[in-house]
Amino acid sequence: MKGYIRFNSLKRANVILQHLRMSMHTEASEVLLERRGCAGVITLNRPKFLNALSLNMIRQIYPQLKKWEQDPETFLIIIKGAGGKAFCAGGDIKAISEAKNTRQNLTRDFFREEYILNNAIASCQKPYVALIDGITMGGGVGLSVHGRFRVATERSLFAMPETGIGLFPDVGGGYFLPRLQGKLGYFLALTGFRLKGRDVHRAGIATHFVDSEKLHKLEEELLALKSPAAEDIAGVLESYHAESKMDQDKSVIFEEHVDKINRCFSANTVEQIIENLRQDGSPFAIEQLKVISKMSPTSLKITLRQLLEGSSKTLQEVLTMEYRLTQACMEGHDFHEGVRAVLVDKDQSPKWKPANLNEVTDEDLNSYFKSLGSSDLKF
């Protein structure tokens, strides 16, 4: 009897130790991967860094996504951010820039594996639900916009601000941005304009809008579904969308500025877009001129060509093109200068090279789009 009690106590102690170890691991994890109800749930878990995406996170999410895709007991995949402020504020670009002087391969590995994950989300055979509550920028857009369902709330803040750091709107931006209504995607790409709340849905970035106070209830209802098909998931999302305070506020951007955006941003050169804005002369156009004048001239030209070419490419072709662009940007000046000015020294005064649009030649531009041969991105 004593031996049995001792064995039971030891067994209990081992279970408690194992549980503690798991809890400690969970607290330290940058991403939580859980099977709950009928779903696989991904939680981006770096709230102090607004859930910025690291290579370590990508390397955990990708294989788990693939496992859940093949698992007959997993019927949908939900991705969300911890902390209440952000879904994901972007890739950890500070670490990527620092890697230029230390781990050179990070600049290759990060973008390659991130884009492979973006493609896996787009082609995922299971319904994929991204709860884009809070800040959703750059790499966070790549984790959400390619999925079947994207749920915005009044706290959502979407932007692709890369031209301000000497980069370009990557993670498939060359695919989804030119496919937004009119010239909206070109405007968002070049200016880094921030869409907020219901405008994220109006723009087509989100498929549904739900009040943030109902988000937890929505998630629980999705998890409780029994062997749901995509239509069942869509039905739940649509019921919450219908109950939301969708029309509570007016949209300045969509009600007042759409025609200006379509008119001014429908040019094939950045110089012509700037001329269109000058000729328009409205307060809105003047504000966009001010914004564009602060952006990297090289990034502006790369971005416009990226979207023009991407408008007729597949997502995989766009990601291949964007991988080439990232590798050229890593070797250039503006990305590292942009990160310095915005994230390191925070003086907000980057010194771009070249400093003017007319100094960025077609030859310069062509070099960014060149094939990397055997180093090209492969799926």
Side-chain angles (χ1 to χ4, degrees):
M1 190 69 180
K2 277 182 187 174
Y4 177 77
I5 291 166
R6 198 181 296 121
F7 171 76
N8 247 3
S9 300
L10 278 169
K11 192 176 175 187
R12 201 178 299 118
N14 277 335
V15 167
I16 291 166
L17 270 170
Q18 199 174 359
H19 179 71
L20 279 170
R21 256 188 234 114
M22 280 174 71
S23 301
M24 284 163 71
H25 170 71
T26 301
E27 279 171 15
S29 291
E30 293 185 324
V31 60
L32 309 178
L33 304 160
E34 307 164 280
R35 267 289 279 111
R36 291 177 56 205
C38 65
V41 181
I42 302 164
T43 306
L44 308 172
N45 192 39
R46 297 180 76 197
K48 286 181 184 172
F49 303 98
L50 300 176
N51 300 322
L53 186 65
S54 68
L55 182 58
N56 174 47
M57 292 162 79
I58 293 165
R59 286 179 170 171
Q60 289 181 67
I61 295 167
Y62 179 78
Q64 190 61 65
L65 182 72
K66 286 297 186 186
K67 275 183 197 161
W68 282 334
E69 195 175 14
Q70 299 303 318
D71 175 21
E73 297 302 307
T74 302
F75 291 89
L76 78 147
I77 294 158
I78 295 172
I79 185 166
K80 59 182 182 172
K85 283 188 179 176
F87 168 69
C88 172
D92 195 345
I93 53 172
K94 196 172 166 187
I96 296 162
S97 181
E98 286 165 357
K100 190 186 181 193
N101 306 316
T102 52
R103 271 180 62 215
Q104 188 63 44
N105 59 339
L106 179 64
T107 57
R108 292 193 298 270
D109 295 347
F110 180 87
F111 291 108
R112 185 177 66 246
E113 294 180 42
E114 182 184 28
Y115 294 177
I116 287 168
L117 174 58
N118 297 154
N119 181 65
I121 290 166
S123 61
C124 185
Q125 297 304 299
K126 299 284 170 77
Y128 183 96
V129 181
L131 304 178
I132 51 174
D133 182 36
I135 299 164
T136 305
M137 297 185 185
V141 176
L143 291 177
S144 54
V145 79
H146 303 298
R148 195 180 308 187
F149 302 112
R150 291 95 60 191
V151 181
T153 75
E154 76 282 359
R155 301 190 300 200
S156 297
L157 191 159
F158 164 94
M160 296 297 280
E162 290 82 0
T163 54
I165 54 159
L167 205 56
F168 59 92
D170 65 328
V171 297
Y175 180 80
F176 75 84
L177 287 166
R179 287 167 172 79
L180 296 179
Q181 55 192 275
K183 294 295 173 179
L184 180 65
Y186 292 83
F187 162 66
L188 296 172
L190 293 168
T191 65
F193 186 89
R194 297 178 170 198
L195 290 174
K196 295 175 184 174
R198 293 156 186 81
D199 280 349
V200 179
H201 174 262
R202 291 181 182 117
I205 303 294
T207 55
H208 298 82
F209 180 89
V210 173
D211 300 317
S212 62
E213 64 196 30
K214 303 260 186 77
L215 210 53
H216 179 70
K217 193 175 162 215
L218 165 66
E219 187 183 342
E220 292 304 313
E221 196 165 323
L222 288 172
L223 295 175
L225 291 170
K226 303 293 178 202
S227 310
E231 301 76 57
D232 303 316
I233 294 157
V236 171
L237 293 172
E238 276 151 27
S239 70
Y240 276 79
H241 177 84
E243 289 170 13
S244 73
K245 307 177 188 92
M246 188 61 206
D247 299 318
Q248 201 173 46
D249 63 349
K250 290 189 173 181
S251 168
V252 174
I253 197 79
F254 287 97
E255 290 183 21
E256 293 181 24
H257 301 313
V258 162
D259 290 343
K260 285 188 190 77
I261 288 168
N262 289 342
R263 194 167 57 248
C264 294
F265 287 82
S266 64
N268 290 335
T269 67
V270 179
E271 290 89 343
Q272 187 58 52
I273 289 171
I274 287 169
E275 184 53 34
N276 292 347
L277 288 166
R278 279 201 187 110
Q279 285 183 8
D280 182 278
S282 65
F284 175 79
I286 290 163
E287 181 57 34
Q288 304 324 308
L289 280 171
K290 277 186 202 162
V291 170
I292 287 172
S293 71
K294 293 174 184 170
M295 303 306 191
S296 156
T298 303
S299 288
L300 289 169
K301 287 203 170 185
I302 286 171
T303 297
L304 183 57
R305 178 162 161 185
Q306 170 207 1
L307 267 62
L308 289 168
E309 290 194 10
S311 65
S312 58
K313 290 181 186 289
T314 65
L315 176 61
Q316 285 193 0
E317 287 168 344
V318 165
L319 290 168
T320 301
M321 168 179 70
E322 291 179 357
Y323 183 71
R324 292 169 182 170
L325 294 173
T326 62
Q327 297 312 290
C329 287
M330 293 307 106
E331 294 301 314
H333 167 271
D334 279 7
F335 171 64
H336 303 287
E337 172 60 10
V339 171
R340 179 208 64 73
V342 175
L343 296 173
V344 181
D345 298 338
K346 300 184 181 177
D347 58 35
Q348 311 300 326
S349 299
K351 306 289 183 282
W352 305 124
K353 289 182 189 174
N356 300 300
L357 281 167
N358 58 10
E359 293 173 48
V360 184
T361 66
D362 287 345
E363 195 182 342
D364 294 333
L365 209 51
N366 290 340
S367 69
Y368 280 85
F369 286 81
K370 268 195 320 203
S371 168
L372 299 172
S374 61
S375 297
D376 258 340
L377 180 64
K378 295 172 192 71
F379 294 97

